[in-house]
Amino acid sequence: MDSSDSASPASPSLIEVTLAILYREGRFLMQLRDDFPHIIYPGVWGFFGGHIEPGEGPDAGVRRELSEELGYIPPVLDLFFDQADERVHRYYYHGALTVPVSELELNEGQDLALCSVDDVLAGRKYSDKLNEERPLGAPHQKALKAFIESGLLPSAEA
């Protein structure tokens, strides 16, 4: 087992989450979060991912979350960056979406869709399922802008 699969050191009160930036044909897969008031960022477009379970490392956590939420794990997932504040440590991974969106299972959230660079810059995305426009979560938009600027999006994807 490599170190990326071992549990990462964290204080007991620090929440650890993994998030996946998945891309296909120059667009990014996003999840329209449920409108439940008790969840963080209700009703906005965000990344698939979630909490890392006790004893689980970030690499294993992102794969488990994607399997649970989408029924899909990309062949390659690489850490883009991680950031922490006094409450949350976020691990942002990236990878190619190698299957059509129609083959994904939406097991959490209200909708899923590919988000264009223009949507990212505007901070809004239309949901065909709800027939309305919804905002991108601010940290998700910020991470996507950084990803676009990083040059990591394959040239065929840009």
Side-chain angles (χ1 to χ4, degrees), residues 29-128:
L29 184 67
M30 302 295 283
Q31 171 198 52
L32 181 55
R33 296 179 55 79
D34 289 311
D35 283 319
F36 303 142
H38 66 277
I39 65 172
I40 190 164
Y41 300 109
V44 303
W45 290 100
F47 301 125
F48 285 93
H51 289 85
I52 297 171
E53 294 182 354
E56 181 178 57
D59 289 355
V62 73
R63 286 170 171 75
R64 177 188 49 76
E65 285 287 343
L66 290 174
S67 178
E68 291 172 2
E69 294 179 359
L70 284 173
Y72 171 78
I73 302 170
V76 177
L77 276 171
D78 292 315
L79 185 63
F80 172 47
F81 74 96
D82 68 288
Q83 68 179 140
D85 58 33
E86 63 281 349
R87 293 183 40 237
V88 182
H89 191 155
R90 293 174 182 89
Y91 298 87
Y92 292 86
Y93 286 81
H94 71 96
L97 178 62
T98 60
V99 300
V101 172
S102 61
E103 291 184 19
L104 301 173
E105 305 165 8
L106 180 61
N107 297 323
E108 187 174 305
Q110 301 180 76
D111 199 358
L112 63 84
L114 291 172
C115 185
S116 71
V117 171
D118 288 342
D119 294 330
V120 171
L121 298 177
R124 303 195 65 74
K125 170 79 179 129
Y126 187 81
S127 167
D128 290 331

Side-chain angles (χ1 to χ4, degrees), residues 130-141:
L130 299 183
N131 294 316
E132 62 184 62
E133 193 174 65
R134 292 287 184 97
L136 270 65
H140 308 99
Q141 181 187 26

